[in-house]
Amino acid sequence: MTEPETMQQILQPTSDPAWVLSVDGYDPLRESSIESRFAISNGFLGIRGARAASRGARWVVPARTYVAGLFDVSGTEHQTPGLVPAADWLRVRFLVAGEPLLLHPGDVSSHRMTLDLRRGALLSQGSRLKAPALGLHARTLRLVSLSDRAVGLQLIQLEVESGTLDVTIEASFEGVELGLINDRLDQDLGVWHTTQTGKHLAMASEPSLQIDGRVHPPTALGQLTWSWSWTCRPGQIVRFQRFVAVVRSDIPNTDPGPKARDKLRSALHLGWSGVFAAHESAWAKRWHDSGVEVDGDAEAQRALRFAIYHLNSAADPGDESVSIGACALTGDDYHGHVFWDTEIFLLPFYILTWPAAARALLMYRFHTLPEARAKAARMGWRGAFYAWESAATGAEMTPEEALGPDRQVIHILCGTQEQHISADIAYAVWQYWHATGDDGFLLGAGAEILLETARFWASRATPEADGRCHIRGVIGPDEYHEHIDDNAYTNVMARWNIRRALDIAAALRERWPACWTTLAGRLRLDEAELKQWRSVADTLIDGLQPTTGLFEQFGGYFGLEDIDLAKYAGRTVPMDVVLGRERTQQSQVVKQADVVALLGLLPEEFKGDAPAVNFRYYEPRCSHGSSLSPAMHGLVAARLGDTEMALRFFHRTADIDLADTRVATDGGIHIAALGGIWMLTVLGIAGLSLRDDGIDIDPHLPADWHSLAFRVQWRGRCLKISIDQDRQIAEPTLEAGEPMMFSVRSSRHELRQGAGLQVSTAHP
Ligand code: BGC
């Protein structure tokens, strides 16, 4: 293929509508949410999908480029460190006869922006710019490479349709002084540092222009500014290409400039087609490993593709010093902070489809252990109490105050009271190790996290006169109720955390005694302490009511006002706004899955018909005031066999980011909800669970889903699972690795490479 043909093909989005997300025209009111939805990212760089042909609704804010881990305190707005945007390296201006052509959306007769999910690229096409006496047809592409995460690429192709005029194209970086301090601005390189967090950033760039296939050298150069002037004529094909290489350094007083130039040089050496090919094949690998195919429900398929696209975009397996913020790198809501969202809603996807990414995310928690220890110690406890909101160092970042919906200042207590975060992290550590068998991780990091979080709980729970241990004064996942005692979610997760830590201590002693001696010595952990942990776990109150099988969400919850949420169907604001904070706190209205989340994570803690009993009690009382909530409900509904309800929760979750619902996506997509879609599908609808010797499924496919297929990785093996509802069979294929067990409910089979297996999924 010739170079122009390759370029033509690259600028053409994937033709299959199930692989693209498109938007036509321009709607200033919806522009911000479109920018979030159409963001591109590789886990290191994230760029909002601002139009090439407009400046979006926020006039002064360019196409924001976020760099993972680049946190700073802005100084003026608030004292909470947040992600600082880097300079917008995509800025292009047209000047006609020396006058800037302000590309107002109204000047664009047709404009379609397409997010190509398969190839991880944002394209625009068919834009006809109708400037006085000039007709241009433009196609654009931008990507941040999944193959070399430092590298970004921008391509613009202009076909001149009418007008013979002197024009100039000017390429620059915009917002070079937005939040970061300039160290130096060279012609092709900018180096900045943060004001308070000691980080450095370098961006090196090289744009070039070709007219009718011939390189046209820049007519003027400045600091990160290039311009080309020529006389354009009908029929001309103008191609603009720009590479950027971005490097962050966390070491104070270092200059990442030379490394950025090296990275740029390698990208230039590959050329745009080489960079694109490497990027495309990295995406093909991710789709191979993590794609989920649904036959029979195009809308569900689209929602899954969108979710998996953003999940694959959000992680960087090469960087253990960052994790994924609540909006990933698609916007600045939540300041880029990391919550339990990562461990509970994202890790299942990464553990089972991308273990290297899961490991890096958990290593971030290992590296932030010192801050978690310091937080516990500050509050008078032992072990590791992780930050509810975490940024670069793991120090607590939760703001202490915020404006409530009624514009009154409210105190935010999550940073001190939402303590389940420590158990959530321990849970993810265990799940990772259990699923991957990565003993190196366990010995080098995981065991220490499990032991230190268990130690936290053992010091946090207090024995009382009733002979039981209690954990008082917390906030559970349901944040409507603060300063509560014995939150079932927190206590059962804490008990589980302690018990798994004891299991790990026993396993280390038996299998890796030298390692245990070193670790126990370093943590000053002795037999007497382990005994105390065991006694805390055995006596910790869990809120289970033996007669009904119901877990009381927290002490006194059942005595609160019971409000029938059905009467508020159709409301357009959250329930705590409808009722007011005080009445909400005195009621059984729940913000999000709490006991239901416990049921989703630890189903084995619910015996007999307790899963259904608890779900039936709590589901109608949940107001889904958090985007995390519907997916967890859908997961549990699917496991309980209520497929219709599961599907309703599936679509409700998908709508959060894909439809213009009440949930605002202006400040970024809701990555936990997107992780929740994958969990609902694979862990709920396919009913996948892990055993010690293999994988179990218990499928409950919605009526329209003829089939569902996906891949997972388990202890070094790669497994494809296809579930055919019409024929009522599951076909697992072991694509790599040693034989393993595969079960559909109680029907157990050995699975080997090359040996086909079909297992009935029919319910007896
Ligand atoms: C939810 C939390 C969540 C946070 C970030 C809050 O509204 O209640 O559970 O961690 O948003 O997504």
Side-chain angles (χ1 to χ4, degrees), residues 325-327 334 337-342 345 388-389 414 418 420 476-480 591-593 625-629 670-673:
C327 297
Y334 296 106
H337 293 172
V338 182
F339 295 71
W340 71 314
D341 306 29
T342 308
F345 293 85
W388 175 245
E389 294 189 27
C414 303
E418 201 153 353
H420 62 83
D478 160 28
E479 293 165 346
Y480 285 167
K591 179 180 178 187
Q592 62 181 317
S626 156
S627 61
L628 278 52
S629 188
H670 300 78
I671 194 74

mmCIF file of all heavy atoms in Angstrom, residues 325-327 334 337-342 345 388-389 414 418 420 476-480 591-593 625-629 670-673, ligand 1:
data_model
loop_
_atom_site.group_PDB
_atom_site.id
_atom_site.type_symbol
_atom_site.label_atom_id
_atom_site.label_comp_id
_atom_site.label_asym_id
_atom_site.label_seq_id
_atom_site.Cartn_x
_atom_site.Cartn_y
_atom_site.Cartn_z
ATOM 1 N N GLY A 325 -8.029 7.007 38.946
ATOM 2 C CA GLY A 325 -8.952 7.898 39.643
ATOM 3 C C GLY A 325 -10.400 7.579 39.287
ATOM 4 O O GLY A 325 -10.669 6.834 38.339
ATOM 5 N N ALA A 326 -11.332 8.173 40.032
ATOM 6 C CA ALA A 326 -12.756 7.857 39.851
ATOM 7 C C ALA A 326 -13.247 8.194 38.441
ATOM 8 O O ALA A 326 -14.240 7.628 37.984
ATOM 9 C CB ALA A 326 -13.588 8.599 40.889
ATOM 10 N N CYS A 327 -12.578 9.112 37.743
ATOM 11 C CA CYS A 327 -12.954 9.419 36.358
ATOM 12 C C CYS A 327 -11.830 9.024 35.409
ATOM 13 O O CYS A 327 -11.751 9.537 34.282
ATOM 14 C CB CYS A 327 -13.255 10.910 36.214
ATOM 15 S SG CYS A 327 -14.646 11.417 37.210
ATOM 16 N N TYR A 334 -13.526 14.807 41.039
ATOM 17 C CA TYR A 334 -12.824 14.054 42.105
ATOM 18 C C TYR A 334 -11.308 14.289 42.053
ATOM 19 O O TYR A 334 -10.547 13.526 42.620
ATOM 20 C CB TYR A 334 -13.108 12.549 42.019
ATOM 21 C CG TYR A 334 -14.559 12.186 42.256
ATOM 22 C CD1 TYR A 334 -15.384 11.793 41.216
ATOM 23 C CD2 TYR A 334 -15.100 12.227 43.536
ATOM 24 C CE1 TYR A 334 -16.713 11.456 41.430
ATOM 25 C CE2 TYR A 334 -16.433 11.894 43.767
ATOM 26 C CZ TYR A 334 -17.228 11.516 42.705
ATOM 27 O OH TYR A 334 -18.548 11.179 42.922
ATOM 28 N N HIS A 337 -8.592 11.658 42.116
ATOM 29 C CA HIS A 337 -8.303 10.818 43.297
ATOM 30 C C HIS A 337 -8.784 9.383 43.126
ATOM 31 O O HIS A 337 -9.747 9.112 42.420
ATOM 32 C CB HIS A 337 -8.959 11.427 44.543
ATOM 33 C CG HIS A 337 -8.358 12.743 44.934
ATOM 34 N ND1 HIS A 337 -8.891 13.537 45.905
ATOM 35 C CD2 HIS A 337 -7.253 13.398 44.471
ATOM 36 C CE1 HIS A 337 -8.149 14.636 46.039
ATOM 37 N NE2 HIS A 337 -7.155 14.569 45.170
ATOM 38 N N VAL A 338 -8.100 8.520 43.853
ATOM 39 C CA VAL A 338 -8.345 7.079 43.789
ATOM 40 C C VAL A 338 -9.191 6.665 44.997
ATOM 41 O O VAL A 338 -8.857 7.032 46.127
ATOM 42 C CB VAL A 338 -6.995 6.331 43.829
ATOM 43 C CG1 VAL A 338 -7.196 4.834 43.709
ATOM 44 C CG2 VAL A 338 -6.065 6.857 42.741
ATOM 45 N N PHE A 339 -10.255 5.910 44.762
ATOM 46 C CA PHE A 339 -11.167 5.461 45.819
ATOM 47 C C PHE A 339 -11.186 3.924 45.856
ATOM 48 O O PHE A 339 -10.474 3.274 45.101
ATOM 49 C CB PHE A 339 -12.595 5.950 45.538
ATOM 50 C CG PHE A 339 -12.797 7.443 45.567
ATOM 51 C CD1 PHE A 339 -12.292 8.255 44.559
ATOM 52 C CD2 PHE A 339 -13.520 8.047 46.581
ATOM 53 C CE1 PHE A 339 -12.492 9.637 44.561
ATOM 54 C CE2 PHE A 339 -13.743 9.424 46.596
ATOM 55 C CZ PHE A 339 -13.225 10.214 45.592
ATOM 56 N N TRP A 340 -12.109 3.373 46.655
ATOM 57 C CA TRP A 340 -12.327 1.910 46.660
ATOM 58 C C TRP A 340 -12.825 1.438 45.307
ATOM 59 O O TRP A 340 -12.780 0.247 45.000
ATOM 60 C CB TRP A 340 -13.323 1.508 47.765
ATOM 61 C CG TRP A 340 -14.771 1.904 47.520
ATOM 62 C CD1 TRP A 340 -15.216 3.114 47.081
ATOM 63 C CD2 TRP A 340 -15.932 1.081 47.694
ATOM 64 N NE1 TRP A 340 -16.596 3.113 46.995
ATOM 65 C CE2 TRP A 340 -17.067 1.869 47.369
ATOM 66 C CE3 TRP A 340 -16.135 -0.233 48.106
ATOM 67 C CZ2 TRP A 340 -18.379 1.392 47.435
ATOM 68 C CZ3 TRP A 340 -17.437 -0.707 48.181
ATOM 69 C CH2 TRP A 340 -18.545 0.089 47.836
ATOM 70 N N ASP A 341 -13.264 2.378 44.472
ATOM 71 C CA ASP A 341 -13.732 2.060 43.122
ATOM 72 C C ASP A 341 -12.741 1.125 42.417
ATOM 73 O O ASP A 341 -13.120 0.177 41.736
ATOM 74 C CB ASP A 341 -13.852 3.345 42.270
ATOM 75 C CG ASP A 341 -14.723 4.429 42.903
ATOM 76 O OD1 ASP A 341 -14.783 4.480 44.138
ATOM 77 O OD2 ASP A 341 -15.314 5.225 42.151
ATOM 78 N N THR A 342 -11.433 1.446 42.570
ATOM 79 C CA THR A 342 -10.409 0.689 41.833
ATOM 80 C C THR A 342 -10.374 -0.772 42.281
ATOM 81 O O THR A 342 -10.418 -1.687 41.454
ATOM 82 C CB THR A 342 -9.024 1.323 42.063
ATOM 83 O OG1 THR A 342 -9.126 2.710 41.770
ATOM 84 C CG2 THR A 342 -7.970 0.691 41.180
ATOM 85 N N PHE A 345 -14.380 -2.341 41.961
ATOM 86 C CA PHE A 345 -15.121 -2.305 40.697
ATOM 87 C C PHE A 345 -14.243 -2.470 39.450
ATOM 88 O O PHE A 345 -14.740 -2.774 38.387
ATOM 89 C CB PHE A 345 -15.937 -1.004 40.603
ATOM 90 C CG PHE A 345 -17.051 -0.948 41.613
ATOM 91 C CD1 PHE A 345 -16.828 -0.501 42.896
ATOM 92 C CD2 PHE A 345 -18.323 -1.386 41.288
ATOM 93 C CE1 PHE A 345 -17.839 -0.472 43.845
ATOM 94 C CE2 PHE A 345 -19.359 -1.363 42.214
ATOM 95 C CZ PHE A 345 -19.110 -0.908 43.509
ATOM 96 N N TRP A 388 -9.071 7.284 52.169
ATOM 97 C CA TRP A 388 -10.329 7.123 51.414
ATOM 98 C C TRP A 388 -10.149 7.703 50.012
ATOM 99 O O TRP A 388 -10.553 7.126 49.026
ATOM 100 C CB TRP A 388 -11.492 7.790 52.162
ATOM 101 C CG TRP A 388 -12.753 7.739 51.370
ATOM 102 C CD1 TRP A 388 -13.433 8.807 50.857
ATOM 103 C CD2 TRP A 388 -13.445 6.560 50.948
ATOM 104 N NE1 TRP A 388 -14.522 8.357 50.141
ATOM 105 C CE2 TRP A 388 -14.546 6.981 50.179
ATOM 106 C CE3 TRP A 388 -13.245 5.191 51.134
ATOM 107 C CZ2 TRP A 388 -15.459 6.093 49.599
ATOM 108 C CZ3 TRP A 388 -14.138 4.300 50.550
ATOM 109 C CH2 TRP A 388 -15.232 4.751 49.798
ATOM 110 N N GLU A 389 -9.511 8.860 49.932
ATOM 111 C CA GLU A 389 -9.156 9.438 48.631
ATOM 112 C C GLU A 389 -7.637 9.546 48.591
ATOM 113 O O GLU A 389 -7.037 10.165 49.459
ATOM 114 C CB GLU A 389 -9.768 10.831 48.445
ATOM 115 C CG GLU A 389 -11.279 10.811 48.373
ATOM 116 C CD GLU A 389 -11.891 12.143 47.970
ATOM 117 O OE1 GLU A 389 -11.234 12.936 47.263
ATOM 118 O OE2 GLU A 389 -13.035 12.397 48.377
ATOM 119 N N CYS A 414 -15.764 11.160 55.376
ATOM 120 C CA CYS A 414 -15.300 9.900 54.770
ATOM 121 C C CYS A 414 -13.813 9.644 55.032
ATOM 122 O O CYS A 414 -13.389 8.497 55.205
ATOM 123 C CB CYS A 414 -15.552 9.904 53.271
ATOM 124 S SG CYS A 414 -17.266 10.171 52.869
ATOM 125 N N GLU A 418 -14.769 6.400 56.655
ATOM 126 C CA GLU A 418 -15.084 5.367 55.660
ATOM 127 C C GLU A 418 -13.911 4.382 55.615
ATOM 128 O O GLU A 418 -13.064 4.389 54.724
ATOM 129 C CB GLU A 418 -15.410 5.972 54.279
ATOM 130 C CG GLU A 418 -16.208 4.961 53.479
ATOM 131 C CD GLU A 418 -17.145 5.523 52.429
ATOM 132 O OE1 GLU A 418 -17.335 6.746 52.339
ATOM 133 O OE2 GLU A 418 -17.709 4.684 51.693
ATOM 134 N N HIS A 420 -13.796 1.043 55.495
ATOM 135 C CA HIS A 420 -13.826 -0.234 54.771
ATOM 136 C C HIS A 420 -12.787 -0.277 53.654
ATOM 137 O O HIS A 420 -12.432 -1.343 53.176
ATOM 138 C CB HIS A 420 -15.238 -0.537 54.245
ATOM 139 C CG HIS A 420 -15.788 0.440 53.258
ATOM 140 N ND1 HIS A 420 -15.491 0.372 51.912
ATOM 141 C CD2 HIS A 420 -16.632 1.497 53.394
ATOM 142 C CE1 HIS A 420 -16.144 1.338 51.279
ATOM 143 N NE2 HIS A 420 -16.834 2.042 52.147
ATOM 144 N N GLY A 476 -20.331 3.329 56.148
ATOM 145 C CA GLY A 476 -20.257 2.186 55.221
ATOM 146 C C GLY A 476 -20.335 2.701 53.791
ATOM 147 O O GLY A 476 -20.353 3.918 53.549
ATOM 148 N N PRO A 477 -20.425 1.797 52.809
ATOM 149 C CA PRO A 477 -20.569 2.266 51.425
ATOM 150 C C PRO A 477 -21.768 3.214 51.267
ATOM 151 O O PRO A 477 -21.717 4.162 50.486
ATOM 152 C CB PRO A 477 -20.785 0.965 50.648
ATOM 153 C CG PRO A 477 -20.070 -0.072 51.458
ATOM 154 C CD PRO A 477 -20.273 0.335 52.885
ATOM 155 N N ASP A 478 -22.839 2.976 52.041
ATOM 156 C CA ASP A 478 -23.990 3.880 52.058
ATOM 157 C C ASP A 478 -23.600 5.130 52.835
ATOM 158 O O ASP A 478 -23.678 5.180 54.052
ATOM 159 C CB ASP A 478 -25.170 3.181 52.748
ATOM 160 C CG ASP A 478 -26.205 4.179 53.234
ATOM 161 O OD1 ASP A 478 -26.317 5.266 52.622
ATOM 162 O OD2 ASP A 478 -26.902 3.870 54.214
ATOM 163 N N GLU A 479 -23.227 6.151 52.109
ATOM 164 C CA GLU A 479 -22.680 7.338 52.787
ATOM 165 C C GLU A 479 -23.753 8.262 53.355
ATOM 166 O O GLU A 479 -23.419 9.293 53.939
ATOM 167 C CB GLU A 479 -21.770 8.097 51.811
ATOM 168 C CG GLU A 479 -20.523 7.299 51.481
ATOM 169 C CD GLU A 479 -19.769 7.825 50.276
ATOM 170 O OE1 GLU A 479 -20.332 8.641 49.534
ATOM 171 O OE2 GLU A 479 -18.619 7.387 50.072
ATOM 172 N N TYR A 480 -25.038 7.890 53.180
ATOM 173 C CA TYR A 480 -26.072 8.740 53.775
ATOM 174 C C TYR A 480 -26.043 8.666 55.305
ATOM 175 O O TYR A 480 -26.517 9.571 55.979
ATOM 176 C CB TYR A 480 -27.464 8.313 53.295
ATOM 177 C CG TYR A 480 -27.786 8.713 51.862
ATOM 178 C CD1 TYR A 480 -28.891 8.155 51.206
ATOM 179 C CD2 TYR A 480 -27.028 9.655 51.167
ATOM 180 C CE1 TYR A 480 -29.204 8.510 49.903
ATOM 181 C CE2 TYR A 480 -27.333 10.009 49.873
ATOM 182 C CZ TYR A 480 -28.424 9.439 49.238
ATOM 183 O OH TYR A 480 -28.749 9.789 47.954
ATOM 184 N N LYS A 591 -27.932 5.007 50.170
ATOM 185 C CA LYS A 591 -27.385 5.701 48.996
ATOM 186 C C LYS A 591 -27.004 4.707 47.901
ATOM 187 O O LYS A 591 -27.224 4.935 46.712
ATOM 188 C CB LYS A 591 -26.151 6.518 49.394
ATOM 189 C CG LYS A 591 -25.513 7.246 48.218
ATOM 190 C CD LYS A 591 -24.288 8.050 48.619
ATOM 191 C CE LYS A 591 -23.648 8.733 47.417
ATOM 192 N NZ LYS A 591 -22.372 9.375 47.736
ATOM 193 N N GLN A 592 -26.340 3.633 48.307
ATOM 194 C CA GLN A 592 -25.870 2.666 47.308
ATOM 195 C C GLN A 592 -25.701 1.298 47.945
ATOM 196 O O GLN A 592 -25.784 1.168 49.164
ATOM 197 C CB GLN A 592 -24.556 3.121 46.720
ATOM 198 C CG GLN A 592 -23.425 3.232 47.728
ATOM 199 C CD GLN A 592 -22.138 3.715 47.077
ATOM 200 O OE1 GLN A 592 -21.789 3.273 46.006
ATOM 201 N NE2 GLN A 592 -21.448 4.638 47.716
ATOM 202 N N ALA A 593 -25.441 0.301 47.076
ATOM 203 C CA ALA A 593 -25.278 -1.075 47.556
ATOM 204 C C ALA A 593 -24.370 -1.105 48.774
ATOM 205 O O ALA A 593 -23.228 -0.640 48.714
ATOM 206 C CB ALA A 593 -24.690 -1.930 46.439
ATOM 207 N N GLY A 625 -27.945 6.550 44.742
ATOM 208 C CA GLY A 625 -27.379 7.904 44.712
ATOM 209 C C GLY A 625 -25.920 7.930 44.289
ATOM 210 O O GLY A 625 -25.297 8.984 44.271
ATOM 211 N N SER A 626 -25.370 6.769 43.964
ATOM 212 C CA SER A 626 -23.990 6.711 43.449
ATOM 213 C C SER A 626 -23.999 5.886 42.167
ATOM 214 O O SER A 626 -24.762 4.921 42.040
ATOM 215 C CB SER A 626 -23.071 6.059 44.489
ATOM 216 O OG SER A 626 -21.938 5.492 43.853
ATOM 217 N N SER A 627 -23.112 6.259 41.245
ATOM 218 C CA SER A 627 -23.045 5.534 39.970
ATOM 219 C C SER A 627 -22.520 4.106 40.168
ATOM 220 O O SER A 627 -22.569 3.281 39.258
ATOM 221 C CB SER A 627 -22.144 6.284 38.987
ATOM 222 O OG SER A 627 -20.833 6.362 39.521
ATOM 223 N N LEU A 628 -21.987 3.815 41.354
ATOM 224 C CA LEU A 628 -21.454 2.475 41.613
ATOM 225 C C LEU A 628 -22.562 1.467 41.903
ATOM 226 O O LEU A 628 -22.350 0.259 41.847
ATOM 227 C CB LEU A 628 -20.516 2.510 42.835
ATOM 228 C CG LEU A 628 -19.069 2.948 42.671
ATOM 229 C CD1 LEU A 628 -18.947 4.277 41.974
ATOM 230 C CD2 LEU A 628 -18.353 2.988 44.011
ATOM 231 N N SER A 629 -23.727 1.982 42.252
ATOM 232 C CA SER A 629 -24.747 1.127 42.853
ATOM 233 C C SER A 629 -25.486 0.171 41.905
ATOM 234 O O SER A 629 -25.621 -1.016 42.205
ATOM 235 C CB SER A 629 -25.744 2.029 43.578
ATOM 236 O OG SER A 629 -26.634 1.290 44.329
ATOM 237 N N HIS A 670 -17.538 7.627 34.424
ATOM 238 C CA HIS A 670 -17.571 6.956 35.724
ATOM 239 C C HIS A 670 -16.955 5.573 35.557
ATOM 240 O O HIS A 670 -17.640 4.612 35.217
ATOM 241 C CB HIS A 670 -19.015 6.857 36.214
ATOM 242 C CG HIS A 670 -19.662 8.196 36.363
ATOM 243 N ND1 HIS A 670 -20.147 8.917 35.286
ATOM 244 C CD2 HIS A 670 -19.867 8.950 37.465
ATOM 245 C CE1 HIS A 670 -20.631 10.066 35.732
ATOM 246 N NE2 HIS A 670 -20.473 10.112 37.044
ATOM 247 N N ILE A 671 -15.668 5.507 35.778
ATOM 248 C CA ILE A 671 -14.953 4.275 35.430
ATOM 249 C C ILE A 671 -15.416 3.084 36.282
ATOM 250 O O ILE A 671 -15.447 1.944 35.787
ATOM 251 C CB ILE A 671 -13.415 4.496 35.478
ATOM 252 C CG1 ILE A 671 -12.655 3.355 34.798
ATOM 253 C CG2 ILE A 671 -12.915 4.722 36.880
ATOM 254 C CD1 ILE A 671 -12.698 3.331 33.325
ATOM 255 N N ALA A 672 -15.838 3.336 37.528
ATOM 256 C CA ALA A 672 -16.289 2.198 38.361
ATOM 257 C C ALA A 672 -17.581 1.607 37.800
ATOM 258 O O ALA A 672 -17.782 0.388 37.827
ATOM 259 C CB ALA A 672 -16.491 2.641 39.803
ATOM 260 N N ALA A 673 -18.458 2.475 37.283
ATOM 261 C CA ALA A 673 -19.702 1.962 36.692
ATOM 262 C C ALA A 673 -19.362 1.124 35.454
ATOM 263 O O ALA A 673 -19.993 0.091 35.190
ATOM 264 C CB ALA A 673 -20.623 3.121 36.324
HETATM 265 C C1 BGC B 1 -19.555 7.249 46.160
HETATM 266 C C2 BGC B 1 -18.321 6.485 46.595
HETATM 267 C C3 BGC B 1 -17.327 6.512 45.453
HETATM 268 C C4 BGC B 1 -17.034 7.928 45.025
HETATM 269 C C5 BGC B 1 -16.135 7.980 43.803
HETATM 270 C C6 BGC B 1 -19.160 8.655 45.786
HETATM 271 O O1 BGC B 1 -20.283 9.354 45.364
HETATM 272 O O2 BGC B 1 -20.503 7.259 47.193
HETATM 273 O O3 BGC B 1 -18.665 5.154 46.907
HETATM 274 O O4 BGC B 1 -16.158 5.869 45.862
HETATM 275 O O5 BGC B 1 -18.231 8.584 44.701
HETATM 276 O O6 BGC B 1 -16.692 7.311 42.724
#
